[in-house]
Amino acid sequence: MKARIQNIRSLSATIKHITLAPDAEDSFPAGAAGAFILLEIPGPGRVWKNAYSLVSGAGRRQYEIIVRRVAQSRGGSAWLHDHAEPGQLLEISGPANLFPIARAAQKHLLLSAGIGITPFLSYLPVLQRQNAAFELHHCCKLDEQEVFRPLLPKAPNITLHGSRNSLDLMTLLSAQKLNTHLYVCGPEAFMDVTIAAAKRIGWPDAKIHEESFGGATGGASFIVKLARSAMELHVAEDQTLLEALEDAGLAPPRMCRGGACGVCELPVLGGLPDHHDHYLSAAARAAGKSIMTCVSRAKTPELVLDF
Amino acid sequence: MGLNKSRPIYEKLRIDPQGRAHLIVTDLEALPQDTIEANLALSNIEIWVVARIARGIAASPSGSRAFRSVADLLSHLSFHLAREPVGLRLYAAGTEAFLWDVANTARAAGLGKDEIFLTQAGSLRRRVYCTHCKSMNEDAVANIATCRACGARLFVRDHFSRRLAAFMGVMVDAEVPNEIPEIEVIYP
Ligand code: FES
């Protein structure tokens, strides 16, 4: 599906708000709160496919996303910051949703850090409209407070924390009742700390909802051997394993490209995976028998996959 | 008794180590040892029982409370669950109807599947829902029961409704006209 860049607004030197409009049709497919789209971003000699959460529930006439320029950007976010202009056409797909509002929840506790606020921006109007009981705590760096403040409605149940330390995570989590679901979105370290804290006080897995698209940042290059396809590929520093497979003309399974959906899982026959996903259980990670190709890499110079 | 898909499968009482605190409720006066898999010597376990016959509660272990009736226990439970912080695991042990009364109370308080555990124990007597007049009949022990509200002769089916926490009782004559099966005590 083709989308035209309608508007680009800088929220800060490294964060842009981008509005997309349908090119041929008059409306996009509706994306429920928490949905994301995949953007195909042209780069020198290749195409980046990045997932971005829709930040407004507004829906069908336009999609709005917020893009942070990633420091060691593999290309996608840097292109959107340096080269994207209104009027340009981009290929998009979706929306898909791996992070919906839980219907069984009687109260929603939303915790985000940095750019992880984006899915919650689409939650807020829905929760407010439903008159749902919720609390949002957003953590950001002190110097980004003024970037995020205008994005958040003023309400007693919405709090902006100018540093992660100003949020007393344990006290907040321990004070929640049995009817509360937890949603976490942000950089990997934030997710890990938050989810570990919740589990420590006995928060049941089924009530912890997480999403993070921060995993695919590149890393050391390595060799991947494909047992069934009888191929040997080089995965470059700025390339994901999934992209290496696709660039070789293969069609590996994939969907979210963010380590969240579990679709891209492939069996590992040799070498040690370096997991960056939020899908595999701790036990599955430790076993090292499978890998999420969209975000994970290798700890060993070589990885052998059953593909 | 035929197998029926509506019959839930129950497990032995096992404390979930992921929980921060544990509450065991039972409609029996004590937990039958053969329903317990792990030892309960873990910390932070509370046991609620129904002491129908008023007896000295002195013998009960610490962390245990006795209630006059199932209804009394359930109303305290719903009060308690609305205030209890996340991390609690709830275990119900006892008759099937009690288990689902507890499960429904817990669901209403927002507990999910992995926070409630059910262990069947004690009598197999059934709570029967009269499909004719929609009233509940406790403690049916036979395949045929008489509805205390409308007097209908009910065939106690194997169909258990989790929502109603009761077995379906259908009028005997409605199913097989003029034919009443022999009464057998099958749920002692
Ligand atoms: S594509 Fe979704 S986890 Fe990899």
Side-chain angles (χ1 to χ4, degrees):
Chain A
M1 168 168 71
K2 288 260 187 281
R4 194 172 290 283
I5 300 180
Q6 202 174 45
N7 185 46
I8 303 178
R9 192 157 52 93
S10 284
L11 303 181
S12 78
T14 55
I15 302 180
K16 282 195 189 325
H17 177 280
I18 300 178
T19 310
L20 303 164
D23 181 43
E25 305 80 17
D26 1 293
S27 63
F28 284 131
F36 68 93
I37 53 169
L38 282 176
L39 227 57
E40 292 192 13
I41 303 161
R46 60 117 69 81
V47 170
W48 310 100
K49 292 182 188 158
N50 289 2
Y52 296 102
S53 296
L54 297 176
V55 297
S56 67
R60 328 238 348 226
R61 300 245 162 238
Q62 53 190 38
Y63 283 161
E64 292 171 57
I65 58 173
I66 292 180
V67 180
R68 182 196 285 279
R69 188 194 175 107
V70 182
Q72 334 85 311
S73 170
R74 303 175 309 110
S77 71
W79 187 90
L80 287 172
H81 273 262
D82 301 340
H83 303 291
E85 276 172 28
Q88 282 167 336
L89 273 184
L90 291 175
E91 186 67 31
I92 66 169
S93 54
N97 199 346
L98 300 166
F99 199 46
I101 297 176
R103 262 196 274 153
Q106 295 176 0
K107 183 191 166 187
H108 312 266
L109 177 63
L110 318 178
L111 304 181
S112 57
I115 202 71
I117 187 66
T118 51
F120 295 153
L121 294 177
S122 70
Y123 275 40
L124 293 177
V126 177
L127 293 174
Q128 286 178 325
R129 198 166 51 238
Q130 291 173 348
N131 231 334
F134 77 94
E135 230 177 291
L136 165 68
H137 293 267
H138 180 61
C139 304
C140 66
K141 298 206 186 82
L142 202 53
D143 59 355
E144 284 196 329
Q145 273 197 97
E146 297 320 311
V147 177
F148 290 109
R149 198 185 307 282
L151 300 176
L152 299 173
K154 271 203 184 46
N157 55 342
I158 298 177
T159 315
L160 182 62
H161 299 269
S163 88
R164 228 177 267 170
N165 302 336
S166 82
L167 170 64
D168 182 349
L169 196 58
M170 259 316 184
T171 306
L172 176 70
L173 291 174
S174 318
Q176 301 305 316
K177 301 283 182 284
L178 285 160
N179 62 1
T180 305
H181 282 232
L182 173 66
Y183 304 75
V184 194
C185 188
E188 222 174 316
F190 173 79
M191 312 257 310
D192 290 350
V193 167
T194 309
I195 292 166
K199 289 197 172 169
R200 210 164 331 123
I201 58 167
W203 212 300
D205 288 353
K207 286 182 178 169
I208 303 178
H209 312 279
E210 48 181 303
E211 180 154 271
S212 170
F213 290 134
T217 48
S221 68
F222 59 99
I223 300 287
V224 59
K225 290 187 172 162
L226 305 176
R228 266 191 276 161
S229 320
M231 285 171 98
E232 186 172 316
L233 307 171
H234 178 252
V235 183
E237 275 105 354
D238 65 345
Q239 192 180 33
T240 67
L241 172 53
L242 176 61
E243 288 165 345
L245 299 174
E246 290 179 324
D247 289 354
L250 300 167
R254 79 277 179 290
M255 185 165 98
C256 72
R257 294 176 184 271
C261 72
V263 168
C264 67
E265 180 169 4
L266 288 182
V268 174
L269 301 175
L272 273 184
D274 185 7
H275 301 289
H276 293 284
D277 62 279
H278 291 275
Y279 176 78
L280 292 175
S281 67
R285 278 165 178 253
K289 291 271 178 277
S290 70
I291 185 168
M292 314 311 301
T293 63
C294 63
V295 290
S296 298
R297 307 184 68 85
K299 280 187 179 152
T300 43
E302 247 182 48
L303 205 59
V304 188
L305 301 183
D306 185 8
F307 186 67
Chain B
M1 252 191 291
L3 280 180
N4 186 311
K5 265 198 258 142
S6 79
R7 295 304 310 279
I9 295 168
Y10 304 100
E11 275 160 21
K12 285 200 165 185
L13 205 159
R14 216 174 47 93
I15 296 295
D16 173 14
Q18 313 287 357
R20 171 189 54 77
H22 310 273
L23 173 61
I24 303 174
V25 295
T26 178
D27 65 344
L28 311 173
E29 293 191 26
L31 293 174
Q33 285 307 310
D34 63 345
T35 61
I36 303 171
E37 195 160 85
N39 82 61
L40 300 177
L42 270 152
S43 63
N44 223 347
I45 297 181
E46 203 178 317
I47 303 177
W48 290 9
V49 301
V50 174
R52 285 190 182 79
I53 313 148
R55 283 194 309 194
I57 306 167
S60 55
S62 67
S64 116
R65 280 176 77 177
F67 294 86
R68 274 173 288 122
S69 63
V70 169
D72 190 27
L73 185 151
L74 289 172
S75 80
H76 277 85
L77 181 64
S78 111
F79 182 85
H80 184 75
L81 294 178
R83 278 150 195 84
E84 175 74 16
V86 67
L88 179 86
R89 297 296 184 271
L90 176 66
Y91 310 83
T95 58
E96 195 157 25
F98 174 74
L99 301 186
W100 291 93
D101 280 342
V102 171
N104 291 334
T105 303
R107 285 291 162 83
L111 278 80
K113 265 205 190 89
D114 46 359
E115 294 165 284
I116 316 166
F117 303 88
L118 307 180
T119 300
Q120 192 177 15
S123 163
L124 295 176
R125 65 191 128 88
R126 293 180 161 190
R127 175 188 293 164
V128 179
Y129 175 76
C130 173
T131 55
H132 187 60
C133 77
K134 310 204 182 331
S135 61
M136 290 292 182
N137 293 273
E138 298 291 337
D139 297 340
V141 294
N143 59 336
I144 304 289
T146 303
C147 175
R148 280 167 210 131
C150 73
R153 304 272 280 163
L154 302 173
F155 176 65
V156 181
R157 291 187 53 208
D158 234 9
H159 179 182
F160 182 78
S161 158
R162 296 167 200 215
R163 190 177 56 83
L164 297 171
F167 286 88
M168 296 294 110
V170 293
M171 270 174 67
V172 174
D173 311 343
E175 257 196 359
V176 191
N178 304 323
E179 203 180 298
I180 297 181
E182 220 174 293
I183 299 179
E184 279 177 89
V185 173
I186 44 183
Y187 318 119

